[in-house]
Structures are given as structure tokens and as C-alpha cells.
Amino acid sequence: MMERHIRPMALYLLAFAWPWSVYQTEPVFFQPFFVLPVLLLVLTELHARLNGRRFAAPFEFLWPWAVLLGAALARALHVDGAAPLPAACMAAAAFAVAVQSAREQDVRRRCLGLSVLAGAGAGAVSLFAYFRPFHGYVFYRLMPAAYSPETGAVLAFPASVPEGVLTLAVCTLIGLGFMMNPGGAWWRRAAAAVACAVMLAALGTVAAEVFLRPGTLPRVGGLEPASALRAAFTAWRPPAAGTVPPATLVAGAALLWLMSRIAAKGIAGWREQDHAPRLAGAAAVVAGAVLLVLLPGAAYPGHAVLLGLIAGGALPRRTPDTGGNGWLAGVCVLLLPLIALNAVRVDPGNPRDPRNYAVRVRQWDAAAVPGETLRRYLAFIEHYSPAERRTRYILASAWLEAGNLEQAAWDFGRAMVPPTAGPGPLLPPPSARERAAFLSKLRDTSSARPVERRGLAYERALIASGQPELAIDSLRFRVHTDEAPAAGAPAYAAALAYLLGAPEAERTLRAWGASELLELLVQAGAEVQPHLQGAEGPAVLTVRRGPDFVEAQLWLGGGAAGMARRLPGCGAKKARPPHAAGRTPEKGRVLVLHGGAVIVLVALSPAPLVEVSCPGADTRGTPDTVETAVFVYAARDPG
Amino acid sequence: MTDIIARLKRERRIAVAIFVCLLLLAALTRALAPSVSSSTPPRADVAGQE
């Protein structure tokens, strides 16, 4: 029973599951699904040993395998203690059972075919995730697992881009072997051709992102394209030899020798009947070895399955004793729901899923990964999942850590806004405890600064988190009392409410004294200017610009307010001053000129056009952060 | 028997050739590429805006 049914079934499951990498994670212990068939195959082999059958893998394969296992053990025990020993053991076990079980030609051919099929499926999912041809629920949430912030390359299924490149490359070469096998059935060759085309297309998207995509390369570290290209390429190289632990060097040498030995067996036997699959297997092993040399961290335990299948095929064949069990390959269909579930859902408790960005950011934080990489990665997450609020919370925490309180409060405010529609977020929004911890840290950092450098970050964050009363109380503590309301209070109150992000607070602030409000505006970084020509009372001009917008607003005394112009895509089009075209602007028009200093044109009826130039509020370039410039214009002197 | 021994020798020669080529490639890439660890800027240099 075990030998006849369980062994081929486990082997087929193993061969079909491994290429899916992240997508085959089981939802309880968050382990790769292929652990189950490997354990089944180990039990089957133990059962066979008890029945007197000897282990068939030759010594030339066994000793490098033992060295690899020993090196992994040495690293785990002595070098850094962080080496993934369970992964190394799993890879060793997967290789051993695959070598032992893949010596029957039919079983081995089906296994390789299933691996190519799974690789093509994973490649197709990657293409869907990359191009996003449909914006329905499923494809919208088809969040790629692997993303390289340095190059912009994206693959859906692997834990890292190099791992996915290795998987797709070796599966393509195996598929080519099926396609060019003259002894194969026509449908098998046609299916292999389609699979190869899909996998090559997925590999092509990675190559295009790394080397060809315009706009990506110049942004890499702010370097010129040529330097960026070189940087993108060299970033994929392995670390210098001096930084690699000796146990890893020994393991690497043993692995390369094992792969050379397996490839040599396939090449030496190329004159045999099924030469195309043999040569394709050898080519896949050599290509895999080259990629492992070039791409650090590309290997994952699943690749040991394919290496074992190819190695088993290079050994002398064993008489088939499993009979016609091709139908067992159909059990792989059982894996499809698990793959589909993992493709659209991220478990917040799964620390191994690279899409669980909260865990990844914590790891990057511990490894001191540059802030630019972090921001690019979080922008990538928001691009695929716009409903994310935790990404903004993480950004706010990073800005707070870096000492940019205004930007921290801005991102915290964005994290508090619930999404309007569409699919839900990958990870839950920040909890009440996390929000309280952020506010507490922001308050401590803000109060440690001199009053004139505090800004309104803490109060903005309080209002964003739904505590406007606390924000008003906090503002009260910061100013000197002024009993009698004076002229200018309405404009100052409206501007301050706007800066706080709470227009509803204007009514409360109007009851405050003008000097109090002016003091708060100055604390918020306002520059006090002479009176605004054409305006009777005091005025406040705010110019806020971010990565994708410019927003200018003029607040006039006596309650009249100017109009705001929100211009998404700053720099995309040129605006000309209306008076230059001989036209009269409408009342209260505020205009932001692209490519230079902000000029606000105000037509105060019946007063003539007023032009206000705002030095320091330059709109040239696109800032990474949101910047706000505030100008306070005093009231006209009655004399 | 002679065929088997000749084939084993051929396999070993091919394996040694592939292995040497892979070692040369590894040595070349390490010699030409800068160290990844030394090229990573400290976080504060990039994240700090003030």
C-alpha cells in the first residue's frame, strides 16, 4: 500500500507544491505544504528499509549532501545561531527522498511535468500580478510576494525575486527538455511549449524592470541611469568573500560540487534514448548553479526537490513497481484551493510571508535598512493595496523616529482615515494601543523642543485620532491669555483650523484673542509680513505642497476666505497668470504657478488685482514630504 | 565493465570542469563587485530629514 500508492502520491504532491513557494504555505503552523509529502516519503523509505531494501543513492551524491547538512548544523550551533537549520534539514530530506523515489522513469517524468506545470502556473500568476489586466476583487488583491525596492522587479509567488528567477529559469529549462523530446506525445510537447512561453514572459518582466524600464533606473538612489544600472546589477551580487562565514563557504563548495556531479551524469549519458530530458536536466542544474553564484539567497528548500528529481533520473533505472498510477497525479488539484487562498490573503500571524510587511519592516529596522528603501517598499504595498492604513502608521512612526514631527503627524492623520470602498487591507489598521503609544511618543518629543519649534504636529495628530477637545486644551496651554478678542481673529482662526486639519474647530478658535491665535500661527512657523495690498484687514496665506499636489489658500480678515487650488500632479501642466492673458480673474482667485515661486493673485472686489509673491514657498521639484508655508499679513495701518 | 569505468572517468572529468568554472565565476563576481554590507548606508543618513 505505502510503496504502491502513498509514495507516488506524496512524490506528485511534492513535485507540484514546491514551485509555489509562499503560495503553498499551510495556514495553521505557517510551514510550506511540501513538508507533509516529504515526511510521508521519509516514512515510506523507513518502511522500505525495514523490508530489506537498501538505500539507492550513490556515495558520490551522499557525501556532499552530508557535508551540506553538517555545515548547516555548524552554522546553527557555532557561527551566528541564526542559520535556518530546519530549512537545511528539510532541503536535505527533500533531496534524499526525491533521489530515491525518482528512479522510476514514468514517475519521474510525471513529477518533472508537474513541476513545470506548477512553475508555469506561478509564472502566469506573476504576470497577472504585474500587469493587473482585471481590476476585479481577486486580481486587485493579487498582491505579489516578492518585490525588489532597488530595482522595481516584481514576482507573485516566491519569497524573494532571486528565488523566483531561479525557480522560473530551471523550470523553463526542464520544460524545454519536454518540448524537444522527440519521443514525447504531441500534446505534452505543446503543453511544455506554452508553459515555457509563460515562464519566459514572467522572467522577461523581471529583466525589463531591472534593465529597461524608463523612469525606474534614474530613481535608484538618485543616481544617473548608467550608474543606476550598474548599481542595480551589482546589488544582486553576493557579498564579498571576507564577510561570508567559513561554514557557508564549505556548504557552498559542497553544493556546487554536488550540482556539478549531477550535471556531469546527465551530460555523460546524453547518447542514451531519452537524451533531451537528460540534457535539459543537466542544463537546469548548471544554470541553477550559475544563478546561485550570482544571486545571493536565491535557494530555498523546494529547489532541492527538483535537484533530487534530476539526480534520480541520472542514476541507473529501477524496474517500475508502482504500475499505472498516473491518476494519482490528479490529487494535486487538491492543492489549488490552498494556493488560491494564499494568493489573495495574508495571515497577520504568518512571519514567513513577505507580504506581511509589518514583520518585514521590523526585520529591516533591526538590520538598519535605509529609510528610502522602506518608503519605496511601503509605497509598493499601497500601490497594490490602497486600503492599507498600517503602512501609513509605519511611515509615521519612522518619521517620528527621524525627528520630522510634521510629516509624522501628516502620515498618522492619513492612517486614521478609513478607506472608502474596495477590498479591505492586507493587515489590520493600528490598534487603539498603538495609536496611544504613537501619540504619547509624539507628545514627549514635541514637548522636549522649544515652543517656537514645536509646530502643530501633536495637536494635528490628536484631532486626526478623534480627540479635538484635547487638542484645543493643548493649544490653550501654549499661549498667553488675552481676554479681549481683537481684529484679525476670524482670519487667524480659520487659518489655524485649516492647519490643524479641523475646519470645525474654527468656531471655537474665533472666541480666542487675536494675539493668542497669532502666537500659535507663529509657533506653527508663520512668517509675519507687511499688510496685503488691497485687503483691509489682516490675512493669512497657507501654501501646502506634497509629492503629488500643491494647495494654496488665502484667509482674509472679516471672514472672507480665498479659494484653494488643489493641483494634483504638480509640474504636469503650466498655468499662466490670468492678467498676462488679458483676462480678469474671478474674485478671490488663488493661483499657483508651476516651476517657480508661488504667486497668489487676489482680486478683491472692487479693489484691483493683488499679486502676492511668497518667497520660500517654491514649487520647483516634488518634495518627498508634505511641506507647509504660512504667511501672516498684518492689518492696514489706519494712519 | 570497461565501459562503466570509462564513463565514470568521463563523468568525473566533466564534473571537475563544471566545478572549476563555477568557482572561477564565484571568484570573479566577488572580485569585481563591491561588498554589499559595506555599500549599505546607515539608516539615519537617509531617513533623517532634520
PDB file of all heavy atoms in Angstrom, chain A residues 357-379:
ATOM      1  N   TYR A 357       4.030  42.908   5.730  1.00  0.00           N
ATOM      2  CA  TYR A 357       5.036  43.963   5.726  1.00  0.00           C
ATOM      3  C   TYR A 357       5.367  44.458   7.122  1.00  0.00           C
ATOM      4  O   TYR A 357       6.445  45.001   7.346  1.00  0.00           O
ATOM      5  CB  TYR A 357       4.599  45.127   4.837  1.00  0.00           C
ATOM      6  CG  TYR A 357       3.269  45.732   5.178  1.00  0.00           C
ATOM      7  CD1 TYR A 357       3.163  46.742   6.101  1.00  0.00           C
ATOM      8  CD2 TYR A 357       2.105  45.279   4.566  1.00  0.00           C
ATOM      9  CE1 TYR A 357       1.941  47.298   6.415  1.00  0.00           C
ATOM     10  CE2 TYR A 357       0.875  45.817   4.891  1.00  0.00           C
ATOM     11  CZ  TYR A 357       0.794  46.826   5.808  1.00  0.00           C
ATOM     12  OH  TYR A 357      -0.417  47.366   6.140  1.00  0.00           O
ATOM     13  N   ALA A 358       4.455  44.246   8.084  1.00  0.00           N
ATOM     14  CA  ALA A 358       4.762  44.687   9.453  1.00  0.00           C
ATOM     15  C   ALA A 358       5.969  43.912   9.989  1.00  0.00           C
ATOM     16  O   ALA A 358       6.873  44.493  10.593  1.00  0.00           O
ATOM     17  CB  ALA A 358       3.545  44.480  10.341  1.00  0.00           C
ATOM     18  N   VAL A 359       5.990  42.599   9.726  1.00  0.00           N
ATOM     19  CA  VAL A 359       7.120  41.781  10.167  1.00  0.00           C
ATOM     20  C   VAL A 359       8.375  42.162   9.394  1.00  0.00           C
ATOM     21  O   VAL A 359       9.462  42.315   9.954  1.00  0.00           O
ATOM     22  CB  VAL A 359       6.791  40.280   9.948  1.00  0.00           C
ATOM     23  CG1 VAL A 359       8.007  39.418  10.221  1.00  0.00           C
ATOM     24  CG2 VAL A 359       5.640  39.875  10.827  1.00  0.00           C
ATOM     25  N   ARG A 360       8.214  42.381   8.098  1.00  0.00           N
ATOM     26  CA  ARG A 360       9.383  42.687   7.274  1.00  0.00           C
ATOM     27  C   ARG A 360       9.999  44.035   7.676  1.00  0.00           C
ATOM     28  O   ARG A 360      11.221  44.173   7.703  1.00  0.00           O
ATOM     29  CB  ARG A 360       8.955  42.717   5.804  1.00  0.00           C
ATOM     30  CG  ARG A 360      10.128  42.733   4.863  1.00  0.00           C
ATOM     31  CD  ARG A 360       9.682  42.392   3.474  1.00  0.00           C
ATOM     32  NE  ARG A 360      10.793  42.422   2.548  1.00  0.00           N
ATOM     33  CZ  ARG A 360      10.669  42.189   1.262  1.00  0.00           C
ATOM     34  NH1 ARG A 360       9.505  41.885   0.763  1.00  0.00           N
ATOM     35  NH2 ARG A 360      11.709  42.239   0.479  1.00  0.00           N
ATOM     36  N   VAL A 361       9.154  44.993   7.962  1.00  0.00           N
ATOM     37  CA  VAL A 361       9.674  46.310   8.361  1.00  0.00           C
ATOM     38  C   VAL A 361      10.430  46.197   9.673  1.00  0.00           C
ATOM     39  O   VAL A 361      11.473  46.827   9.863  1.00  0.00           O
ATOM     40  CB  VAL A 361       8.513  47.314   8.458  1.00  0.00           C
ATOM     41  CG1 VAL A 361       8.941  48.562   9.209  1.00  0.00           C
ATOM     42  CG2 VAL A 361       8.035  47.686   7.068  1.00  0.00           C
ATOM     43  N   ARG A 362       9.915  45.367  10.596  1.00  0.00           N
ATOM     44  CA  ARG A 362      10.633  45.169  11.871  1.00  0.00           C
ATOM     45  C   ARG A 362      12.003  44.555  11.618  1.00  0.00           C
ATOM     46  O   ARG A 362      12.995  44.943  12.223  1.00  0.00           O
ATOM     47  CB  ARG A 362       9.820  44.260  12.798  1.00  0.00           C
ATOM     48  CG  ARG A 362       8.781  45.005  13.602  1.00  0.00           C
ATOM     49  CD  ARG A 362       8.367  44.203  14.841  1.00  0.00           C
ATOM     50  NE  ARG A 362       7.701  42.960  14.502  1.00  0.00           N
ATOM     51  CZ  ARG A 362       6.411  42.858  14.251  1.00  0.00           C
ATOM     52  NH1 ARG A 362       5.655  43.918  14.307  1.00  0.00           N
ATOM     53  NH2 ARG A 362       5.873  41.700  13.960  1.00  0.00           N
ATOM     54  N   GLN A 363      12.066  43.577  10.688  1.00  0.00           N
ATOM     55  CA  GLN A 363      13.362  42.967  10.368  1.00  0.00           C
ATOM     56  C   GLN A 363      14.289  43.998   9.741  1.00  0.00           C
ATOM     57  O   GLN A 363      15.476  44.052  10.055  1.00  0.00           O
ATOM     58  CB  GLN A 363      13.165  41.782   9.405  1.00  0.00           C
ATOM     59  CG  GLN A 363      12.448  40.601  10.041  1.00  0.00           C
ATOM     60  CD  GLN A 363      11.986  39.589   9.016  1.00  0.00           C
ATOM     61  OE1 GLN A 363      12.004  39.851   7.811  1.00  0.00           O
ATOM     62  NE2 GLN A 363      11.549  38.438   9.471  1.00  0.00           N
ATOM     63  N   TRP A 364      13.764  44.816   8.837  1.00  0.00           N
ATOM     64  CA  TRP A 364      14.591  45.838   8.190  1.00  0.00           C
ATOM     65  C   TRP A 364      15.058  46.868   9.198  1.00  0.00           C
ATOM     66  O   TRP A 364      16.167  47.369   9.117  1.00  0.00           O
ATOM     67  CB  TRP A 364      13.782  46.521   7.086  1.00  0.00           C
ATOM     68  CG  TRP A 364      13.712  45.713   5.846  1.00  0.00           C
ATOM     69  CD1 TRP A 364      14.208  44.456   5.659  1.00  0.00           C
ATOM     70  CD2 TRP A 364      13.113  46.091   4.613  1.00  0.00           C
ATOM     71  NE1 TRP A 364      13.947  44.036   4.392  1.00  0.00           N
ATOM     72  CE2 TRP A 364      13.263  45.021   3.731  1.00  0.00           C
ATOM     73  CE3 TRP A 364      12.454  47.227   4.184  1.00  0.00           C
ATOM     74  CZ2 TRP A 364      12.805  45.051   2.423  1.00  0.00           C
ATOM     75  CZ3 TRP A 364      11.986  47.267   2.881  1.00  0.00           C
ATOM     76  CH2 TRP A 364      12.157  46.189   2.011  1.00  0.00           C
ATOM     77  N   ASP A 365      14.180  47.168  10.148  1.00  0.00           N
ATOM     78  CA  ASP A 365      14.542  48.145  11.162  1.00  0.00           C
ATOM     79  C   ASP A 365      15.726  47.634  11.968  1.00  0.00           C
ATOM     80  O   ASP A 365      16.672  48.374  12.260  1.00  0.00           O
ATOM     81  CB  ASP A 365      13.329  48.389  12.067  1.00  0.00           C
ATOM     82  CG  ASP A 365      13.372  49.758  12.682  1.00  0.00           C
ATOM     83  OD1 ASP A 365      13.825  50.678  11.985  1.00  0.00           O
ATOM     84  OD2 ASP A 365      12.985  49.905  13.839  1.00  0.00           O
ATOM     85  N   ALA A 366      15.667  46.349  12.333  1.00  0.00           N
ATOM     86  CA  ALA A 366      16.769  45.763  13.099  1.00  0.00           C
ATOM     87  C   ALA A 366      18.046  45.723  12.259  1.00  0.00           C
ATOM     88  O   ALA A 366      19.152  45.830  12.790  1.00  0.00           O
ATOM     89  CB  ALA A 366      16.389  44.353  13.553  1.00  0.00           C
ATOM     90  N   ALA A 367      17.889  45.564  10.936  1.00  0.00           N
ATOM     91  CA  ALA A 367      19.062  45.475  10.057  1.00  0.00           C
ATOM     92  C   ALA A 367      19.485  46.848   9.535  1.00  0.00           C
ATOM     93  O   ALA A 367      20.369  46.922   8.686  1.00  0.00           O
ATOM     94  CB  ALA A 367      18.759  44.543   8.888  1.00  0.00           C
ATOM     95  N   ALA A 368      18.869  47.919  10.030  1.00  0.00           N
ATOM     96  CA  ALA A 368      19.219  49.291   9.623  1.00  0.00           C
ATOM     97  C   ALA A 368      19.141  49.463   8.107  1.00  0.00           C
ATOM     98  O   ALA A 368      20.012  50.057   7.481  1.00  0.00           O
ATOM     99  CB  ALA A 368      20.602  49.672  10.122  1.00  0.00           C
ATOM    100  N   VAL A 369      18.079  48.947   7.503  1.00  0.00           N
ATOM    101  CA  VAL A 369      17.866  49.142   6.066  1.00  0.00           C
ATOM    102  C   VAL A 369      17.528  50.618   5.824  1.00  0.00           C
ATOM    103  O   VAL A 369      16.806  51.227   6.616  1.00  0.00           O
ATOM    104  CB  VAL A 369      16.719  48.223   5.584  1.00  0.00           C
ATOM    105  CG1 VAL A 369      16.294  48.567   4.169  1.00  0.00           C
ATOM    106  CG2 VAL A 369      17.153  46.783   5.648  1.00  0.00           C
ATOM    107  N   PRO A 370      18.072  51.237   4.756  1.00  0.00           N
ATOM    108  CA  PRO A 370      17.856  52.670   4.541  1.00  0.00           C
ATOM    109  C   PRO A 370      16.379  53.056   4.491  1.00  0.00           C
ATOM    110  O   PRO A 370      15.533  52.299   4.013  1.00  0.00           O
ATOM    111  CB  PRO A 370      18.513  52.921   3.186  1.00  0.00           C
ATOM    112  CG  PRO A 370      19.487  51.829   3.037  1.00  0.00           C
ATOM    113  CD  PRO A 370      18.936  50.647   3.756  1.00  0.00           C
ATOM    114  N   GLY A 371      16.093  54.265   4.977  1.00  0.00           N
ATOM    115  CA  GLY A 371      14.719  54.735   5.012  1.00  0.00           C
ATOM    116  C   GLY A 371      14.108  54.861   3.634  1.00  0.00           C
ATOM    117  O   GLY A 371      12.905  54.666   3.453  1.00  0.00           O
ATOM    118  N   GLU A 372      14.912  55.160   2.617  1.00  0.00           N
ATOM    119  CA  GLU A 372      14.407  55.285   1.262  1.00  0.00           C
ATOM    120  C   GLU A 372      13.856  53.941   0.772  1.00  0.00           C
ATOM    121  O   GLU A 372      12.804  53.879   0.131  1.00  0.00           O
ATOM    122  CB  GLU A 372      15.539  55.770   0.338  1.00  0.00           C
ATOM    123  CG  GLU A 372      15.200  55.837  -1.135  1.00  0.00           C
ATOM    124  CD  GLU A 372      14.048  56.784  -1.425  1.00  0.00           C
ATOM    125  OE1 GLU A 372      13.868  57.740  -0.640  1.00  0.00           O
ATOM    126  OE2 GLU A 372      13.327  56.553  -2.404  1.00  0.00           O
ATOM    127  N   THR A 373      14.573  52.853   1.101  1.00  0.00           N
ATOM    128  CA  THR A 373      14.106  51.512   0.734  1.00  0.00           C
ATOM    129  C   THR A 373      12.773  51.224   1.419  1.00  0.00           C
ATOM    130  O   THR A 373      11.852  50.695   0.801  1.00  0.00           O
ATOM    131  CB  THR A 373      15.150  50.463   1.156  1.00  0.00           C
ATOM    132  OG1 THR A 373      16.391  50.815   0.571  1.00  0.00           O
ATOM    133  CG2 THR A 373      14.759  49.079   0.714  1.00  0.00           C
ATOM    134  N   LEU A 374      12.687  51.595   2.684  1.00  0.00           N
ATOM    135  CA  LEU A 374      11.448  51.370   3.435  1.00  0.00           C
ATOM    136  C   LEU A 374      10.284  52.122   2.797  1.00  0.00           C
ATOM    137  O   LEU A 374       9.202  51.560   2.576  1.00  0.00           O
ATOM    138  CB  LEU A 374      11.647  51.842   4.879  1.00  0.00           C
ATOM    139  CG  LEU A 374      10.421  51.822   5.772  1.00  0.00           C
ATOM    140  CD1 LEU A 374      10.095  50.403   6.173  1.00  0.00           C
ATOM    141  CD2 LEU A 374      10.624  52.685   7.003  1.00  0.00           C
ATOM    142  N   ARG A 375      10.509  53.380   2.444  1.00  0.00           N
ATOM    143  CA  ARG A 375       9.426  54.184   1.863  1.00  0.00           C
ATOM    144  C   ARG A 375       9.001  53.624   0.511  1.00  0.00           C
ATOM    145  O   ARG A 375       7.824  53.573   0.177  1.00  0.00           O
ATOM    146  CB  ARG A 375       9.866  55.639   1.725  1.00  0.00           C
ATOM    147  CG  ARG A 375       9.882  56.386   3.039  1.00  0.00           C
ATOM    148  CD  ARG A 375       9.875  57.883   2.795  1.00  0.00           C
ATOM    149  NE  ARG A 375      11.132  58.327   2.222  1.00  0.00           N
ATOM    150  CZ  ARG A 375      12.224  58.576   2.936  1.00  0.00           C
ATOM    151  NH1 ARG A 375      12.202  58.401   4.234  1.00  0.00           N
ATOM    152  NH2 ARG A 375      13.338  58.974   2.361  1.00  0.00           N
ATOM    153  N   ARG A 376       9.990  53.183  -0.280  1.00  0.00           N
ATOM    154  CA  ARG A 376       9.651  52.626  -1.594  1.00  0.00           C
ATOM    155  C   ARG A 376       8.856  51.332  -1.450  1.00  0.00           C
ATOM    156  O   ARG A 376       7.901  51.084  -2.186  1.00  0.00           O
ATOM    157  CB  ARG A 376      10.955  52.371  -2.371  1.00  0.00           C
ATOM    158  CG  ARG A 376      10.761  52.361  -3.855  1.00  0.00           C
ATOM    159  CD  ARG A 376      12.064  52.247  -4.563  1.00  0.00           C
ATOM    160  NE  ARG A 376      12.829  53.480  -4.525  1.00  0.00           N
ATOM    161  CZ  ARG A 376      13.980  53.646  -5.133  1.00  0.00           C
ATOM    162  NH1 ARG A 376      14.491  52.660  -5.829  1.00  0.00           N
ATOM    163  NH2 ARG A 376      14.617  54.785  -5.080  1.00  0.00           N
ATOM    164  N   TYR A 377       9.248  50.532  -0.473  1.00  0.00           N
ATOM    165  CA  TYR A 377       8.554  49.269  -0.240  1.00  0.00           C
ATOM    166  C   TYR A 377       7.108  49.519   0.213  1.00  0.00           C
ATOM    167  O   TYR A 377       6.172  48.889  -0.284  1.00  0.00           O
ATOM    168  CB  TYR A 377       9.326  48.470   0.809  1.00  0.00           C
ATOM    169  CG  TYR A 377       8.642  47.223   1.287  1.00  0.00           C
ATOM    170  CD1 TYR A 377       8.383  46.177   0.404  1.00  0.00           C
ATOM    171  CD2 TYR A 377       8.251  47.067   2.607  1.00  0.00           C
ATOM    172  CE1 TYR A 377       7.760  45.024   0.832  1.00  0.00           C
ATOM    173  CE2 TYR A 377       7.628  45.926   3.046  1.00  0.00           C
ATOM    174  CZ  TYR A 377       7.382  44.910   2.158  1.00  0.00           C
ATOM    175  OH  TYR A 377       6.749  43.773   2.580  1.00  0.00           O
ATOM    176  N   LEU A 378       6.925  50.468   1.125  1.00  0.00           N
ATOM    177  CA  LEU A 378       5.572  50.751   1.605  1.00  0.00           C
ATOM    178  C   LEU A 378       4.721  51.384   0.498  1.00  0.00           C
ATOM    179  O   LEU A 378       3.513  51.126   0.415  1.00  0.00           O
ATOM    180  CB  LEU A 378       5.629  51.669   2.826  1.00  0.00           C
ATOM    181  CG  LEU A 378       6.221  51.022   4.089  1.00  0.00           C
ATOM    182  CD1 LEU A 378       6.277  52.014   5.233  1.00  0.00           C
ATOM    183  CD2 LEU A 378       5.420  49.798   4.503  1.00  0.00           C
ATOM    184  N   ALA A 379       5.352  52.194  -0.355  1.00  0.00           N
ATOM    185  CA  ALA A 379       4.611  52.754  -1.489  1.00  0.00           C
ATOM    186  C   ALA A 379       4.165  51.642  -2.428  1.00  0.00           C
ATOM    187  O   ALA A 379       3.067  51.689  -2.998  1.00  0.00           O
ATOM    188  CB  ALA A 379       5.490  53.755  -2.235  1.00  0.00           C
TER     189      ALA A 379
END
